[in-house]
Amino acid sequence: VSTQSTGTSRRVSMGRKRKYKGADGEDVAYVPEEEVDPPAACVLCIGGLVVASAGKDLSAWSVEDGAMKFSSQGNLCGHTAAIRGMAASADGNLLASGADDKTIKIWKAEGGCFVRSGCVMRAGCLGFCLTWYTSTMAKKVTAVDIAADGTVVAGADKFGDVCYLESGAAPSADDDEKTKFCLGHMSIITCMAMSDSGTLLITGDRDSTIRCSSFPDGYNIESFCLGHTSYLTQVLIPGDHNDLLFSGDGASELILWRHGTGELLQRQKLSETDDCPILSLAFCSVNSVLAASLSDNSVHFLRLSSPGANPEVERISRLERQHPVASLAFDAHGLLWAATCALTVEGDATTHLTAFACSEEMPKSTYSEVQESHPAHAVMSAANAKVNSFAEGVGLVKGVQKKQRPSKADDQETDEK
């Protein structure tokens, strides 16, 4: 189980220097005063837990009573920049997270006393340890996934490289576990999915290319899925249908593939506008429903029918939200969880969670927000307690968002100086 989303938190940064001609003809450098990271929020459903991240922190709540079981806030071994992706092993014992601080961290789910590199933390019943592993990538992490058995974790970065880490054994005494190179793209990898068997890795990049490679021997390319005309934002293997692949791009186009041969089975545009990226995809094995969130604040629901010889996808319903949904995840009971990046009173990133239940009226199933009497509402109340406002008006897609640049007026003012 994995999720990649678009990450969050505001920061002051020196940015890239740009040269301009000064009044005396000499080169001068202009440095933007502030850059703003795009909103980042991720959500995963692991057993009886809902795990969500916003900015650099991740938290876990119990679905039964809404009690918080873990939070990385204030954890010295946590991330120091926006989390861009999370993934969990099939048994829920390992959770992997990748962030803008160039690190991949693997969290081990146990209670009691946790030890990592000689650092001990008493966590009681909080559910996750500090970090079992920490590994540093060359550039900011854009996507992360983990094998179903939890033995291998793969991470992609802004170099366009994928590296992996063997996580099955106990960590070494080294604070920074070394990754091994797997494969590389010619541009930024924006999304990634691993097969349940852990032998196939599917990667999508900014140049609209989907590559299906053997794993961990990434030099063996199984196929390419070529058909998108915009940058890739999401790739997803739908549940038990291991021969199929969904992909979404920055122009709101959704494509269904048979990835083993690169065969394009069906394509459809979810929005009439071209500048409306698909932010997240999630598939429910209970009723074969695919959920897709777009940057225009909409969530689309589609049903996968005839997954055998002639699979097809048909639209069944749509939701309109007040803010873009950055990440989606179905739990084992078919409940849909949606995460949006919000801000606290202090301006820190925090998660806003919403749960949606299906009306179960086949075939036109509709989803609506759960009522207060629903057990999931307790998680929503606990997670959203700190929400004061929402992050608006900045890029939504990791690795390909537009950076702030000086306006023409700023350039003219700099030249005059």
Side-chain angles (χ1 to χ4, degrees), residues 151-226:
T151 56
V152 181
V153 174
D157 66 15
K158 286 193 174 184
F159 261 153
D161 292 342
V162 173
C163 297
Y164 67 95
L165 175 71
E166 296 177 356
S167 56
S172 66
D174 191 354
D175 284 341
D176 191 1
E177 297 289 329
K178 303 302 180 184
T179 57
K180 300 177 182 179
F181 177 79
C182 177
L183 60 90
H185 279 237
M186 295 299 291
S187 65
I188 295 173
I189 295 175
T190 56
C191 49
M192 182 170 62
M194 187 182 296
S195 64
D196 287 342
S197 62
T199 59
L200 181 70
L201 190 68
I202 301 175
T203 48
D205 65 25
R206 187 174 58 180
D207 290 339
S208 68
T209 300
I210 299 175
R211 170 177 166 171
C212 305
S213 312
S214 296
F215 185 80
D217 301 324
Y219 50 81
N220 290 324
I221 301 175
E222 301 293 334
S223 64
F224 285 99
C225 297
L226 304 176

Side-chain angles (χ1 to χ4, degrees), residues 10-15 30-36 404-405:
R10 238 165 73 165
R11 64 186 169 88
V12 174
S13 172
M14 291 301 290
Y30 174 79
V31 181
E33 293 182 357
E34 184 180 45
E35 289 185 356
V36 180
Q404 287 187 343
R405 291 290 182 257

Side-chain angles (χ1 to χ4, degrees), residues 155-401:
D157 66 15
K158 286 193 174 184
F159 261 153
D161 292 342
V162 173
C163 297
Y164 67 95
L165 175 71
E166 296 177 356
S167 56
S172 66
D174 191 354
D175 284 341
D176 191 1
E177 297 289 329
K178 303 302 180 184
T179 57
K180 300 177 182 179
F181 177 79
C182 177
L183 60 90
H185 279 237
M186 295 299 291
S187 65
I188 295 173
I189 295 175
T190 56
C191 49
M192 182 170 62
M194 187 182 296
S195 64
D196 287 342
S197 62
T199 59
L200 181 70
L201 190 68
I202 301 175
T203 48
D205 65 25
R206 187 174 58 180
D207 290 339
S208 68
T209 300
I210 299 175
R211 170 177 166 171
C212 305
S213 312
S214 296
F215 185 80
D217 301 324
Y219 50 81
N220 290 324
I221 301 175
E222 301 293 334
S223 64
F224 285 99
C225 297
L226 304 176
H228 283 282
T229 58
S230 181
Y231 57 87
L232 270 299
T233 60
Q234 293 288 314
V235 289
L236 172 71
I237 298 174
D240 297 330
H241 310 301
N242 292 319
D243 61 326
L244 300 179
L245 175 73
F246 284 107
S247 61
D249 66 19
S252 76
E253 189 166 50
L254 177 73
I255 298 183
L256 175 63
W257 309 84
R258 203 178 296 280
H259 60 74
T261 60
E263 179 186 2
L264 194 158
L265 300 175
Q266 185 181 357
R267 68 194 310 161
Q268 53 183 295
K269 198 170 176 62
L270 301 183
S271 174
E272 296 180 356
T273 62
D274 290 332
D275 189 17
C276 185
I278 294 175
L279 302 181
S280 182
L281 294 175
F283 185 77
C284 178
S285 298
V286 176
N287 53 13
S288 297
V289 167
L290 175 76
S293 64
L294 276 66
S295 63
D296 63 358
N297 303 352
S298 64
V299 180
H300 299 251
F301 297 92
L302 308 94
R303 190 181 304 281
L304 176 64
S305 59
S306 305
N310 300 302
E312 293 182 350
V313 178
E314 61 173 342
R315 301 191 196 189
I316 54 176
S317 60
R318 169 176 172 160
L319 280 174
E320 295 293 339
R321 305 297 296 165
Q322 293 183 340
H323 308 278
V325 175
S327 183
L328 296 168
F330 282 100
D331 65 18
H333 304 290
L335 201 67
L336 177 65
W337 292 88
T340 300
C341 181
L343 300 174
T344 64
V345 175
E346 294 80 13
D348 297 325
T350 187
T351 308
H352 182 275
L353 285 179
T354 309
F356 300 93
C358 179
S359 65
E360 299 181 356
E361 296 178 1
M362 302 287 283
K364 296 294 183 180
S365 302
T366 58
Y367 284 78
S368 57
E369 188 172 331
V370 299
Q371 303 299 315
E372 290 189 14
S373 57
H374 197 286
H377 199 274
V379 177
M380 293 168 52
S381 299
N384 303 340
K386 296 182 179 180
V387 173
N388 179 65
S389 61
F390 289 83
E392 300 281 6
V394 285
L396 291 169
V397 179
K398 58 182 177 301
V400 295
Q401 73 274 7

Side-chain angles (χ1 to χ4, degrees), residues 134-149:
T134 294
S135 184
T136 302
M137 302 282 285
K139 288 290 185 179
K140 294 179 180 180
V141 179
T142 58
V144 65
D145 210 339
I146 188 170
D149 60 5

